[in-house]
Amino acid sequence: MEPVLIVLVVLVVVAFIALIRTIQVIPQASAAIVERFGRYTRTLNAGLNIVVPFIDTIRNRIDLREQVVPFPPQPVITQDNLVVNIDTVIYYQVTDARAATYEVASYIQAIEQLTVTTLRNIIGSMDLESTLTSREVINAGLRGVLDEATGKWGIRVNRVELKAIEPPTSIQDSMEKQMRADRDKRAAVLTAEGARQAAILRAEGEKQAEVLKAEGEAQAAVLRADGEAAAIRTVFEAIHDGDADQKLLAYQYLQTLPELAKGDANKLWIIPSEVGDALKGLGGAFNGMTGGGAPNGSAAAGPSLQKQPVPVEGDGGRPPVGPANGPRPLDTEDKGAARPRVNPSREYPTIDPE
C-alpha cells in the first residue's frame, strides 16, 4: 500500500501544480505574452485566463500604464561650440505588448539612446542663447522624432521635458555679470527718468508759483493804484466842495515843509521856489485878520509881518538865493540845525510864532 500512496501523493501534487499553471490572473492595465514551445501564441489581457500547463509558458508581463523615466545628464555641444549638460525626462506608454517584447530587446535603453542622439542633433543647430530660451521647441522636436521611431516598438511617447540645462561654470559667471550689468543699466535709466520727471514737475511748479505770484502782485498793485486814485479823487473833490482859498492852501503848504527835515539821515534839503509866494500869501492873510496893512499879496506889511533882512553865517562865497539862481540847499552841518543860505541884500518876511 505504501507505493500506491506515494503515487497518489505525487499525482495530487502534480495536479495541484498543473492547476496553478493553468489558471493565470492578469492585473488591470497589464498584459502577458504566452508562448507555446517557444513560439508566440497570444497575449493575455487583464482578468482570469486559462493556459495549457507545461505547454504554454508566460514569456513577459508588461505594465501598460504611462511610465516616467528620467535620464542622467548628457553633454551636448551647441552651435557656438559650448558644452552644456541636459537632463531629460520621458513620459511613455506601451500600446502593443507583443511589439514591445519582440521588436526591440530593451525599449528603455533604446529610448534613452534615441533621446540622446536626437537631442544632440537639435542642440547642435542652436546657439547657447537659443538653447536656453527654446525649451518648447526642443521638447516638440524630441517628441516628434521619438514618437515616430518608437511607434513600431509598440510604444507611444507622450511628453519629453528638459529638466535642466547647465552651461559651463565660466559661461554661468559671464551670464551673471551680463545680467547684473543689464539690471544696473535699467536701474540707472529708471533713476534718471525719475530725476528728470521730478525736475520737470518741480520746474513746472515753480513756474506756476511765479506766475501766480506775479499775477497776485499785479492785482495788488492795481488795487493799490485804484485806492490811491480814489483817495486823491476824494481829497480833490473835498477841496473843491469846501471851496478852499489861496490862504488855506498856502498855510497847508508851509505845514508840510517841516516833514522834509525829519529823519536822522537827512543832511540837507532844498527849499522850493514857491516858499516866497506862500509866505506872501500867508502874510496877506494875517494882515487881513488884524485889519492893518495892504490887502493880500501887496508889498506893504502890517505890524505882525515885516520884511527884515535875514542874517547869514558863513556864506563861504556861495551864490545868493534868488529867483534867477533857484533854491539853495540847507546847511545842516553846523550845530545840527538847518539854516538857509540867502542873499543878505534881499529882504524876507518873518512870521511871529505868537
Side-chain angles (χ1 to χ4, degrees):
M1 293 295 296
E2 291 183 359
V4 175
L5 182 60
I6 295 173
V7 171
L8 290 176
V9 171
V10 171
L11 291 176
V12 170
V13 171
V14 170
F16 181 76
I17 294 174
L19 181 62
I20 293 177
R21 295 176 65 91
T22 301
I23 301 174
Q24 297 290 329
V25 178
I26 306 300
Q28 183 66 34
S30 297
I33 302 299
V34 178
E35 292 181 351
R36 179 173 295 178
F37 299 113
R39 184 177 180 181
Y40 171 76
T41 303
R42 56 178 177 155
T43 301
L44 300 181
N45 297 320
L48 182 63
N49 296 274
I50 304 298
V51 296
V52 178
F54 305 107
I55 297 176
D56 295 338
T57 58
I58 305 298
R59 168 69 185 272
N60 191 12
R61 295 178 182 268
I62 298 176
D63 193 347
L64 300 179
R65 295 174 297 178
E66 186 174 5
Q67 305 293 322
V68 180
V69 179
F71 296 145
Q74 300 294 330
V76 181
I77 300 176
T78 61
Q79 187 179 10
D80 47 359
N81 297 325
L82 293 176
V83 179
V84 294
N85 294 323
I86 300 179
D87 296 348
T88 55
V89 178
I90 302 298
Y91 296 81
Y92 72 93
Q93 184 178 9
V94 177
T95 58
D96 188 355
R98 177 182 175 280
T101 303
Y102 295 105
E103 296 295 334
V104 61
S106 175
Y107 57 84
I108 298 294
Q109 186 178 1
I111 292 175
E112 180 181 1
Q113 296 301 321
L114 183 60
T115 301
V116 171
T117 55
T118 305
L119 189 62
R120 288 177 178 175
N121 292 333
I122 296 175
I123 299 300
S125 61
M126 304 171 65
D127 56 3
L128 180 61
E129 188 70 21
S130 301
T131 302
L132 296 176
T133 58
S134 303
R135 289 175 177 261
E136 293 297 331
V137 176
I138 298 174
N139 294 339
L142 280 174
R143 179 182 175 184
V145 174
L146 291 177
D147 197 13
E148 181 181 359
T150 58
K152 62 181 180 179
W153 298 342
I155 297 173
R156 183 178 66 246
V157 177
N158 297 326
R159 297 180 62 185
V160 179
E161 295 291 340
L162 299 182
K163 188 167 61 174
I165 301 177
E166 297 179 358
T169 306
S170 59
I171 301 300
Q172 292 181 5
D173 296 338
S174 300
M175 294 172 62
E176 290 179 359
K177 292 179 181 179
Q178 181 181 1
M179 183 63 66
R180 190 179 302 109
D182 292 339
R183 291 180 179 177
D184 293 340
K185 177 182 176 181
R186 288 196 297 268
V189 170
L190 293 177
T191 302
E193 288 291 337
R196 175 175 174 271
Q197 293 294 332
I200 292 175
L201 294 178
R202 192 181 303 109
E204 291 180 353
E206 293 177 355
K207 176 183 176 182
Q208 293 179 1
E210 292 294 333
V211 170
L212 294 176
K213 183 179 178 181
E215 291 178 354
E217 292 178 353
Q219 293 178 1
V222 171
L223 293 177
R224 282 195 299 269
D226 292 340
E228 292 177 358
I232 293 173
R233 193 179 301 110
T234 302
V235 172
F236 184 76
E237 291 176 356
I239 291 174
H240 281 276
D241 293 341
D243 195 13
D245 55 0
Q246 188 66 24
K247 302 171 186 179
L248 178 59
L249 295 177
Y251 180 72
Q252 292 292 333
Y253 183 79
L254 291 176
Q255 280 186 336
T256 58
L257 292 179
E259 300 293 333
L260 298 176
K262 288 183 179 180
D264 298 336
N266 294 332
K267 298 299 182 182
L268 58 90
W269 57 284
I270 300 173
I271 300 176
S273 62
E274 293 83 358
V275 174
D277 296 336
L279 292 175
K280 289 179 182 180
L282 190 58
F286 276 102
N287 288 335
M289 289 186 294
T290 56
N296 186 17
S298 63
S304 298
L305 182 61
Q306 297 178 357
K307 293 182 179 179
Q308 298 178 358
V310 179
V312 179
E313 296 180 1
D315 186 52
R318 294 186 177 89
V321 178
N325 298 326
R328 291 291 304 279
L330 297 181
D331 188 3
T332 59
E333 299 294 334
D334 297 337
K335 298 180 181 181
R339 293 192 295 274
R341 299 178 184 275
V342 299
N343 189 0
S345 62
R346 183 176 177 181
E347 295 181 355
Y348 292 91
T350 60
I351 302 173
D352 188 1
E354 298 296 334

